[in-house]
Amino acid sequence: MAPWLSSGLVYASGLALTAGSVTLLYIVTRTFNFAVASMATIGFYTVYTGVTLFGGLPYQYYPFAFIVGSITGFICYYGLNRPLLRRQAIETTLMMSTLGYDLILLSMIQMYADFLTHTYKIFPRRVTMSLFDFELFGDRAAAFILPVIAIGFLTILHIFLTKTKFGVAMRATIENPILAGASGINSDRVYLVSWIIGGGMAALGGSFMAMAMTGTPVMGMYTIPLMFAGAILGGLGSIYGGILGGLVIGLTEYAGVFLLSQQFGPWVLGYRMGIPLFIMAATLLVFPRGLSGIPLLKIIKNFAEQKRGARA
Amino acid sequence: MLTVSNLSSGYGKLKVLYDLSIDVPEKELTVVVGPNGAGKTTLLCSIMNIANVFSGEILLQDSSIKGIPTHNLAQKGISYVPQMGNVFAELTVMDNLHMAGYMLSKSEAKDKAEQMTEIFPVLKKFIHRLAGTLSGGERRMLAIAMGLMKNPKLMLLDELSTDLAPIIAERVMMEVARMRDELGITILMVEQMAKRALEIGDTAYLLVSGEVKYSGDASALLHEPELCSMYLGIKHSSDKGKEFELSVMDEGSEDN
C-alpha cells in the first residue's frame, strides 16, 4: 500500500468518527461541540497510558478510550448542556459552553502530561504512537485494523439506530422531539445517550488519528477545524453524512499533500490543512446541503436508465 | 376527566391564555373552536407541558398534572396528536406505531399495531413505507392510530382537518366520533372546521384571544348567529320565521 494511502486510511478513519460525533451531538442537542478536540486528545492519552504503563498493543486499549470519552460526554451533558437546554439557551450559548469545557479539559490534559512526566519519567508531549504498532502484510497494521474497527463500530451504531427500540426512539427524538415526548419517549435520556456515544466516538477517533500523526496535548486543537469540516461537508443533518464527510476530508488531505508535494516540493506540507478545506468549500458550492444532500439514488437511477437507453 | 381552571399560559414571557377554565367530561367529545390565534393549540400545549404555565391548575381525574414532563403524561394515559409534525416522517409506518406505543411491552406493542391496521386498513398497505411518503389523509389516519396505540384515557386532537380535502376531513371527523362512540375515549378536540366539529361534539368552548367566549352544548353554539359569523366564519341565512340554515364560508382546502 502506498504510504500516503495507509496513513490516510488510518487518519481518515479517526476523522470520520470525530466528524460523526460532531454531527450526532449537533442534530440531537443543537450543540456544536468544541470539546470534541479535547475528547479526541483524551482518547489518545488513554491508549498511550495503557501501552506505556501496562504494555501490549494500542488496539487493546481502544475500548477504554471509548469509555473515558463517554465519561467526558456524560459530564458535559449533565454539567453544562442539560442545564442550558432546560433554560432554552440559544445555539451560540450552547456552543460557547462547550468551548469553555474544552479549555477545562485541555488544562487537565496538560496537568496529566506533567503528571506522567514527573511520576513515571515518560515524555508524553510528543508521541509517535505508530512505534507501538506491528507489521501486517508488509505494511503498518493500523492501515488494515483501524478502518475495520471503524466500519465495525459504525455497523453496530447503524444496527443500534435502526433495529433497537431505543435507537429508533433516538431517531424519532432527533426528528420530532415534541411528538417523541408525547409518545412517552424520555428525551433527556436520549440526549444523555447521545453525549455518551458522541464522547466515546470522539475519543476513539482521536486515538485512531494519533496512529497517523504526532500525539500532543494540543493535537485535538490542531485538528478540530477538520473535524468540523467533515461534519459540515456531510451536511450536518445525518450522522452517516458526517462520517462520510470526515472520511473524505481525511483522505483528501493525505492524497492532496502527496500529489501536490510531488509536483511542487515538500514546502506544500505546511499548507496541508488548506487542501481538504478547499475540497469542502468546492463541494458545498455545488451541493449546498453537503454530501448527505446529494441525491445518490436518483443519480444512480438516472445513470442506469441512460445506460439502458444507450443499449436499446 | 380533565379540568383546567384559571389557566394563564404562553411561550417564553408571552401570555396567550388568560384565566381560562374548561371541563372535559368522561367519554365525551369536547370541542374547542375559535379564530386563528385564539390560543387553541396553546391550550393543548399547556396541558402537555410544552407551553409555559404561569398560573392555574390542570387536573386529570382530580390529580394535578401541572408541570409533569411530557413523556410522563403519556404514561398517565394522555395521548396528544399535534396539528403539524404528527408523524415521524423518516420512520416507517410500523416504526411510527411502535414509537407511539413506546411504553408498551414488545408483544403488547405488536398486538396493538396489528389492531390499528385492522381499524385503519389503509395503514396495512403502507406498513413498511416511510410515513413522509403518505398522503395528507393517510398521515392523519396514522397520527390518530398513533394516538390510540397508547390505550389512552384522554385524547387531545389538534386541528386534524388542517390541509385536508373536505371529503378526507369528513372521514377523519367520522373516525373521531367513532373513537368516542365505540371505544369510549374521552376526547378534547381543537378544530378549525368548526361546523362539522360542533355537529359531532358534545360540549363546546369558543376561544377568542385567549379567553372563553362561549361554553355549553356544542350544537347550541351553531345557533348563536353572532358568535358563529363573527368568530367561526359560519354564515347564517334566515328567511323570516324559518329555521336557520347554516353554510360554511370557508371550509377545508386541498389535500396535500
Side-chain angles (χ1 to χ4, degrees), chain A residues 88 162 164-166 168-173 175-189, chain B residues 48 50 52 70-71 74-75 78 80 82 85-91 95 99-104 146 150:
Chain A
Q88 292 166 348
T162 54
T164 67
K165 190 176 171 181
F166 193 80
V168 178
M170 267 182 84
R171 284 164 58 216
T173 308
E175 188 191 326
N176 190 335
I178 290 176
L179 185 61
S183 300
I185 299 167
N186 185 348
S187 53
D188 191 36
R189 206 170 292 167
Chain B
M48 290 305 292
I50 297 165
N52 291 344
T70 308
H71 65 273
Q75 286 160 5
I78 302 181
Y80 173 49
N86 45 28
V87 299
F88 298 111
E90 286 169 30
L91 302 186
D95 280 344
M99 281 303 104
Y102 188 73
M103 307 147 325
L104 306 175
M146 286 169 70
K150 304 171 190 73

Short mmCIF file of all heavy atoms in Angstrom, two decimals, chain A residues 88 162 164-166 168-173 175-189, chain B residues 48 50 52 70-71 74-75 78 80 82 85-91 95 99-104 146 150:
data_model
loop_
_atom_site.label_atom_id
_atom_site.label_comp_id
_atom_site.label_asym_id
_atom_site.label_seq_id
_atom_site.Cartn_x
_atom_site.Cartn_y
_atom_site.Cartn_z
N GLN A 88 -33.52 26.89 27.86
CA GLN A 88 -33.78 27.24 26.46
C GLN A 88 -32.69 28.16 25.90
O GLN A 88 -32.99 29.17 25.24
CB GLN A 88 -35.16 27.86 26.31
CG GLN A 88 -36.25 26.83 26.57
CD GLN A 88 -37.63 27.40 26.77
OE1 GLN A 88 -37.78 28.60 26.94
NE2 GLN A 88 -38.62 26.56 26.77
N THR A 162 -31.27 1.50 14.02
CA THR A 162 -32.37 1.05 13.16
C THR A 162 -33.11 -0.17 13.70
O THR A 162 -34.27 -0.38 13.37
CB THR A 162 -31.87 0.72 11.73
OG1 THR A 162 -30.79 -0.22 11.84
CG2 THR A 162 -31.40 1.95 11.00
N THR A 164 -32.94 -1.39 17.23
CA THR A 164 -33.32 -1.45 18.65
C THR A 164 -34.38 -0.39 18.95
O THR A 164 -34.45 0.65 18.28
CB THR A 164 -32.10 -1.21 19.58
OG1 THR A 164 -31.67 0.15 19.40
CG2 THR A 164 -30.95 -2.14 19.25
N LYS A 165 -35.17 -0.68 19.96
CA LYS A 165 -36.26 0.22 20.33
C LYS A 165 -35.71 1.60 20.73
O LYS A 165 -36.22 2.63 20.28
CB LYS A 165 -37.03 -0.41 21.50
CG LYS A 165 -38.32 0.28 21.84
CD LYS A 165 -39.02 -0.50 22.93
CE LYS A 165 -40.21 0.24 23.49
NZ LYS A 165 -40.89 -0.48 24.56
N PHE A 166 -34.64 1.58 21.54
CA PHE A 166 -34.08 2.86 21.98
C PHE A 166 -33.43 3.62 20.83
O PHE A 166 -33.51 4.85 20.75
CB PHE A 166 -33.06 2.65 23.11
CG PHE A 166 -32.70 3.94 23.80
CD1 PHE A 166 -33.53 4.48 24.76
CD2 PHE A 166 -31.55 4.64 23.45
CE1 PHE A 166 -33.23 5.69 25.37
CE2 PHE A 166 -31.23 5.84 24.06
CZ PHE A 166 -32.07 6.37 25.03
N VAL A 168 -34.31 3.50 17.62
CA VAL A 168 -35.38 4.11 16.80
C VAL A 168 -35.96 5.31 17.55
O VAL A 168 -36.27 6.35 16.95
CB VAL A 168 -36.47 3.07 16.45
CG1 VAL A 168 -37.59 3.70 15.65
CG2 VAL A 168 -35.88 1.90 15.67
N ALA A 169 -36.05 5.17 18.89
CA ALA A 169 -36.55 6.30 19.70
C ALA A 169 -35.60 7.50 19.59
O ALA A 169 -36.04 8.65 19.58
CB ALA A 169 -36.70 5.87 21.15
N MET A 170 -34.31 7.21 19.48
CA MET A 170 -33.34 8.30 19.30
C MET A 170 -33.59 9.02 17.98
O MET A 170 -33.61 10.25 17.92
CB MET A 170 -31.91 7.74 19.29
CG MET A 170 -31.25 7.75 20.65
SD MET A 170 -29.57 7.13 20.57
CE MET A 170 -28.67 8.60 20.08
N ARG A 171 -33.81 8.24 16.92
CA ARG A 171 -34.07 8.84 15.61
C ARG A 171 -35.38 9.63 15.64
O ARG A 171 -35.50 10.71 15.06
CB ARG A 171 -34.14 7.75 14.53
CG ARG A 171 -32.75 7.25 14.15
CD ARG A 171 -32.80 5.95 13.40
NE ARG A 171 -33.60 6.03 12.20
CZ ARG A 171 -34.37 5.04 11.74
NH1 ARG A 171 -34.46 3.90 12.41
NH2 ARG A 171 -35.05 5.17 10.64
N ALA A 172 -36.37 9.08 16.35
CA ALA A 172 -37.66 9.76 16.47
C ALA A 172 -37.47 11.10 17.19
O ALA A 172 -38.02 12.13 16.78
CB ALA A 172 -38.65 8.88 17.20
N THR A 173 -36.68 11.09 18.26
CA THR A 173 -36.46 12.33 19.03
C THR A 173 -35.68 13.34 18.22
O THR A 173 -35.95 14.54 18.28
CB THR A 173 -35.70 12.01 20.34
OG1 THR A 173 -36.39 10.96 21.01
CG2 THR A 173 -35.61 13.21 21.26
N GLU A 175 -35.83 13.67 15.04
CA GLU A 175 -36.73 14.24 14.03
C GLU A 175 -37.79 15.16 14.63
O GLU A 175 -38.09 16.23 14.10
CB GLU A 175 -37.41 13.11 13.25
CG GLU A 175 -38.19 13.66 12.07
CD GLU A 175 -39.09 12.63 11.43
OE1 GLU A 175 -38.74 11.44 11.40
OE2 GLU A 175 -40.18 13.03 10.96
N ASN A 176 -38.38 14.73 15.74
CA ASN A 176 -39.52 15.49 16.28
C ASN A 176 -39.60 15.31 17.80
O ASN A 176 -40.31 14.43 18.29
CB ASN A 176 -40.80 14.98 15.60
CG ASN A 176 -42.00 15.85 15.89
OD1 ASN A 176 -42.05 16.55 16.90
ND2 ASN A 176 -42.98 15.81 15.02
N PRO A 177 -38.84 16.14 18.54
CA PRO A 177 -38.78 15.95 19.99
C PRO A 177 -40.14 16.07 20.69
O PRO A 177 -40.40 15.36 21.66
CB PRO A 177 -37.83 17.05 20.48
CG PRO A 177 -37.28 17.71 19.28
CD PRO A 177 -38.02 17.26 18.07
N ILE A 178 -41.02 16.95 20.17
CA ILE A 178 -42.32 17.14 20.83
C ILE A 178 -43.18 15.89 20.69
O ILE A 178 -43.73 15.38 21.68
CB ILE A 178 -43.04 18.39 20.26
CG1 ILE A 178 -42.30 19.65 20.72
CG2 ILE A 178 -44.50 18.44 20.71
CD1 ILE A 178 -42.84 20.94 20.16
N LEU A 179 -43.25 15.37 19.47
CA LEU A 179 -44.04 14.16 19.25
C LEU A 179 -43.43 12.97 19.99
O LEU A 179 -44.16 12.13 20.53
CB LEU A 179 -44.14 13.86 17.74
CG LEU A 179 -45.03 12.70 17.34
CD1 LEU A 179 -46.47 12.93 17.77
CD2 LEU A 179 -44.98 12.46 15.84
N ALA A 180 -42.10 12.94 20.04
CA ALA A 180 -41.43 11.85 20.76
C ALA A 180 -41.81 11.90 22.25
O ALA A 180 -42.13 10.87 22.85
CB ALA A 180 -39.92 11.95 20.58
N GLY A 181 -41.79 13.12 22.81
CA GLY A 181 -42.18 13.28 24.22
C GLY A 181 -43.62 12.85 24.44
O GLY A 181 -43.93 12.13 25.39
N ALA A 182 -44.49 13.27 23.52
CA ALA A 182 -45.91 12.91 23.64
C ALA A 182 -46.12 11.41 23.48
O ALA A 182 -47.13 10.86 23.93
CB ALA A 182 -46.72 13.66 22.58
N SER A 183 -45.16 10.73 22.85
CA SER A 183 -45.25 9.28 22.70
C SER A 183 -44.71 8.54 23.92
O SER A 183 -44.74 7.32 23.96
CB SER A 183 -44.47 8.83 21.46
OG SER A 183 -44.97 9.45 20.31
N GLY A 184 -44.17 9.28 24.87
CA GLY A 184 -43.65 8.67 26.09
C GLY A 184 -42.15 8.45 26.07
O GLY A 184 -41.61 7.81 26.97
N ILE A 185 -41.49 8.99 25.05
CA ILE A 185 -40.02 8.84 24.98
C ILE A 185 -39.38 9.94 25.82
O ILE A 185 -39.70 11.12 25.65
CB ILE A 185 -39.53 8.93 23.51
CG1 ILE A 185 -40.15 7.81 22.67
CG2 ILE A 185 -38.02 8.88 23.44
CD1 ILE A 185 -39.99 7.99 21.17
N ASN A 186 -38.49 9.53 26.71
CA ASN A 186 -37.83 10.49 27.58
C ASN A 186 -36.65 11.11 26.82
O ASN A 186 -35.60 10.49 26.67
CB ASN A 186 -37.35 9.76 28.84
CG ASN A 186 -36.75 10.71 29.86
OD1 ASN A 186 -36.47 11.86 29.56
ND2 ASN A 186 -36.54 10.21 31.06
N SER A 187 -36.85 12.33 26.34
CA SER A 187 -35.82 12.96 25.50
C SER A 187 -34.54 13.21 26.30
O SER A 187 -33.44 13.18 25.74
CB SER A 187 -36.34 14.27 24.90
OG SER A 187 -36.83 15.09 25.91
N ASP A 188 -34.67 13.41 27.60
CA ASP A 188 -33.49 13.63 28.45
C ASP A 188 -32.55 12.43 28.35
O ASP A 188 -31.33 12.58 28.24
CB ASP A 188 -33.99 13.82 29.89
CG ASP A 188 -32.89 14.31 30.80
OD1 ASP A 188 -32.06 15.12 30.35
OD2 ASP A 188 -32.86 13.87 31.97
N ARG A 189 -33.14 11.24 28.38
CA ARG A 189 -32.34 10.01 28.29
C ARG A 189 -31.69 9.89 26.90
O ARG A 189 -30.56 9.47 26.78
CB ARG A 189 -33.24 8.81 28.57
CG ARG A 189 -32.48 7.63 29.11
CD ARG A 189 -33.41 6.55 29.60
NE ARG A 189 -34.16 6.93 30.78
CZ ARG A 189 -35.20 6.25 31.24
NH1 ARG A 189 -35.63 5.18 30.59
NH2 ARG A 189 -35.83 6.63 32.34
N MET B 48 -50.07 19.56 27.89
CA MET B 48 -48.96 18.61 27.66
C MET B 48 -47.62 19.12 28.20
O MET B 48 -46.58 18.50 27.96
CB MET B 48 -48.81 18.34 26.16
CG MET B 48 -49.93 17.53 25.55
SD MET B 48 -50.24 15.95 26.38
CE MET B 48 -48.77 15.00 25.99
N ILE B 50 -45.89 21.61 27.22
CA ILE B 50 -45.00 22.08 26.15
C ILE B 50 -44.93 23.61 26.21
O ILE B 50 -43.88 24.20 26.03
CB ILE B 50 -45.50 21.59 24.77
CG1 ILE B 50 -45.46 20.06 24.71
CG2 ILE B 50 -44.66 22.18 23.63
CD1 ILE B 50 -46.24 19.44 23.56
N ASN B 52 -45.49 27.26 28.49
CA ASN B 52 -45.24 27.66 29.88
C ASN B 52 -46.55 27.98 30.60
O ASN B 52 -47.33 28.80 30.11
CB ASN B 52 -44.37 28.93 29.92
CG ASN B 52 -42.96 28.66 29.45
OD1 ASN B 52 -42.55 27.51 29.37
ND2 ASN B 52 -42.25 29.71 29.11
N THR B 70 -43.61 15.90 29.73
CA THR B 70 -44.48 15.43 28.64
C THR B 70 -44.48 13.90 28.52
O THR B 70 -45.54 13.29 28.36
CB THR B 70 -44.03 16.06 27.31
OG1 THR B 70 -43.95 17.48 27.50
CG2 THR B 70 -44.99 15.78 26.19
N HIS B 71 -43.29 13.30 28.61
CA HIS B 71 -43.24 11.84 28.41
C HIS B 71 -43.95 11.09 29.53
O HIS B 71 -44.44 9.98 29.33
CB HIS B 71 -41.79 11.36 28.23
CG HIS B 71 -40.94 11.53 29.43
ND1 HIS B 71 -40.26 12.70 29.69
CD2 HIS B 71 -40.66 10.70 30.45
CE1 HIS B 71 -39.59 12.56 30.81
NE2 HIS B 71 -39.81 11.36 31.30
N ALA B 74 -47.80 10.93 28.88
CA ALA B 74 -48.20 9.82 28.01
C ALA B 74 -48.43 8.58 28.85
O ALA B 74 -49.37 7.81 28.61
CB ALA B 74 -47.13 9.58 26.96
N GLN B 75 -47.58 8.39 29.87
CA GLN B 75 -47.75 7.22 30.74
C GLN B 75 -49.00 7.32 31.60
O GLN B 75 -49.52 6.33 32.07
CB GLN B 75 -46.51 7.06 31.64
CG GLN B 75 -45.32 6.52 30.86
CD GLN B 75 -43.99 6.78 31.52
OE1 GLN B 75 -43.92 7.29 32.64
NE2 GLN B 75 -42.92 6.42 30.83
N ILE B 78 -52.59 10.14 28.68
CA ILE B 78 -52.97 11.25 27.80
C ILE B 78 -52.26 11.07 26.47
O ILE B 78 -51.05 10.87 26.42
CB ILE B 78 -52.59 12.62 28.39
CG1 ILE B 78 -53.24 12.82 29.76
CG2 ILE B 78 -53.01 13.75 27.45
CD1 ILE B 78 -52.94 14.14 30.40
N TYR B 80 -51.58 12.80 22.77
CA TYR B 80 -51.62 14.09 22.10
C TYR B 80 -51.28 13.93 20.63
O TYR B 80 -50.24 13.37 20.29
CB TYR B 80 -50.62 15.04 22.79
CG TYR B 80 -50.42 16.37 22.11
CD1 TYR B 80 -51.48 17.17 21.73
CD2 TYR B 80 -49.13 16.86 21.90
CE1 TYR B 80 -51.28 18.40 21.12
CE2 TYR B 80 -48.90 18.09 21.30
CZ TYR B 80 -49.99 18.85 20.90
OH TYR B 80 -49.78 20.07 20.31
N PRO B 82 -50.52 16.25 17.64
CA PRO B 82 -50.32 17.66 17.26
C PRO B 82 -50.86 17.96 15.86
O PRO B 82 -51.07 17.05 15.05
CB PRO B 82 -48.80 17.82 17.28
CG PRO B 82 -48.24 16.59 17.85
CD PRO B 82 -49.26 15.51 17.70
N GLY B 85 -46.51 18.05 12.18
CA GLY B 85 -45.49 17.11 12.66
C GLY B 85 -46.09 16.05 13.55
O GLY B 85 -45.56 15.77 14.62
N ASN B 86 -47.19 15.47 13.12
CA ASN B 86 -47.84 14.47 13.99
C ASN B 86 -47.46 13.03 13.66
O ASN B 86 -48.00 12.10 14.24
CB ASN B 86 -49.36 14.66 13.99
CG ASN B 86 -49.90 14.86 12.59
OD1 ASN B 86 -49.29 14.38 11.65
ND2 ASN B 86 -51.00 15.56 12.46
N VAL B 87 -46.54 12.87 12.70
CA VAL B 87 -45.95 11.55 12.45
C VAL B 87 -44.43 11.74 12.31
O VAL B 87 -43.97 12.84 12.07
CB VAL B 87 -46.50 10.87 11.17
CG1 VAL B 87 -47.99 10.64 11.25
CG2 VAL B 87 -46.16 11.67 9.92
N PHE B 88 -43.69 10.64 12.49
CA PHE B 88 -42.24 10.70 12.27
C PHE B 88 -42.00 10.38 10.80
O PHE B 88 -42.03 9.22 10.39
CB PHE B 88 -41.52 9.69 13.16
CG PHE B 88 -41.71 9.94 14.63
CD1 PHE B 88 -42.46 9.07 15.41
CD2 PHE B 88 -41.15 11.05 15.24
CE1 PHE B 88 -42.64 9.30 16.77
CE2 PHE B 88 -41.33 11.30 16.59
CZ PHE B 88 -42.08 10.42 17.36
N ALA B 89 -41.78 11.43 10.00
CA ALA B 89 -41.72 11.28 8.54
C ALA B 89 -40.60 10.34 8.09
O ALA B 89 -40.73 9.66 7.08
CB ALA B 89 -41.55 12.64 7.89
N GLU B 90 -39.50 10.29 8.86
CA GLU B 90 -38.36 9.49 8.42
C GLU B 90 -38.39 8.06 8.94
O GLU B 90 -37.45 7.30 8.74
CB GLU B 90 -37.05 10.19 8.82
CG GLU B 90 -36.79 11.40 7.93
CD GLU B 90 -35.67 12.27 8.42
OE1 GLU B 90 -34.75 11.74 9.06
OE2 GLU B 90 -35.72 13.49 8.19
N LEU B 91 -39.46 7.70 9.64
CA LEU B 91 -39.61 6.32 10.10
C LEU B 91 -40.72 5.65 9.30
O LEU B 91 -41.60 6.32 8.76
CB LEU B 91 -39.96 6.27 11.59
CG LEU B 91 -39.01 6.93 12.59
CD1 LEU B 91 -39.49 6.64 14.02
CD2 LEU B 91 -37.59 6.45 12.42
N ASP B 95 -42.70 1.52 12.36
CA ASP B 95 -41.88 2.13 13.41
C ASP B 95 -42.64 3.27 14.09
O ASP B 95 -42.50 3.48 15.31
CB ASP B 95 -40.56 2.65 12.83
CG ASP B 95 -39.54 1.53 12.65
OD1 ASP B 95 -39.74 0.46 13.25
OD2 ASP B 95 -38.56 1.72 11.91
N MET B 99 -43.24 3.39 17.98
CA MET B 99 -42.79 4.51 18.79
C MET B 99 -43.96 5.11 19.59
O MET B 99 -43.79 5.52 20.73
CB MET B 99 -42.17 5.60 17.91
CG MET B 99 -40.76 5.31 17.47
SD MET B 99 -39.64 5.03 18.87
CE MET B 99 -39.44 3.28 18.86
N ALA B 100 -45.13 5.13 18.95
CA ALA B 100 -46.30 5.65 19.66
C ALA B 100 -46.64 4.76 20.85
O ALA B 100 -47.15 5.22 21.87
CB ALA B 100 -47.48 5.73 18.71
N GLY B 101 -46.31 3.48 20.73
CA GLY B 101 -46.55 2.56 21.85
C GLY B 101 -45.27 2.28 22.59
O GLY B 101 -45.03 1.15 23.03
N TYR B 102 -44.44 3.30 22.74
CA TYR B 102 -43.11 3.15 23.34
C TYR B 102 -43.16 2.56 24.75
O TYR B 102 -42.30 1.81 25.17
CB TYR B 102 -42.41 4.51 23.36
CG TYR B 102 -40.97 4.45 23.79
CD1 TYR B 102 -40.00 3.94 22.93
CD2 TYR B 102 -40.57 4.87 25.05
CE1 TYR B 102 -38.67 3.87 23.31
CE2 TYR B 102 -39.24 4.81 25.44
CZ TYR B 102 -38.30 4.31 24.57
OH TYR B 102 -36.98 4.24 24.95
N MET B 103 -44.23 2.93 25.49
CA MET B 103 -44.29 2.48 26.88
C MET B 103 -44.81 1.05 27.00
O MET B 103 -44.77 0.47 28.08
CB MET B 103 -45.20 3.40 27.69
CG MET B 103 -44.85 4.85 27.57
SD MET B 103 -46.31 5.90 27.67
CE MET B 103 -47.54 4.97 26.86
N LEU B 104 -45.34 0.53 25.91
CA LEU B 104 -45.88 -0.82 25.96
C LEU B 104 -44.75 -1.85 25.83
O LEU B 104 -43.68 -1.53 25.33
CB LEU B 104 -46.87 -1.04 24.81
CG LEU B 104 -48.03 -0.03 24.68
CD1 LEU B 104 -48.84 -0.32 23.43
CD2 LEU B 104 -48.92 -0.10 25.91
N MET B 146 -51.62 6.35 15.93
CA MET B 146 -50.53 6.51 16.90
C MET B 146 -51.07 6.98 18.24
O MET B 146 -50.62 6.55 19.30
CB MET B 146 -49.49 7.50 16.36
CG MET B 146 -48.64 6.93 15.25
SD MET B 146 -47.66 8.20 14.41
CE MET B 146 -46.45 8.61 15.68
N LYS B 150 -51.55 4.08 22.56
CA LYS B 150 -51.21 4.16 23.99
C LYS B 150 -52.35 3.72 24.91
O LYS B 150 -52.25 3.89 26.11
CB LYS B 150 -50.82 5.61 24.35
CG LYS B 150 -49.72 6.17 23.52
CD LYS B 150 -49.57 7.66 23.78
CE LYS B 150 -48.63 8.32 22.81
NZ LYS B 150 -49.17 8.46 21.45
#
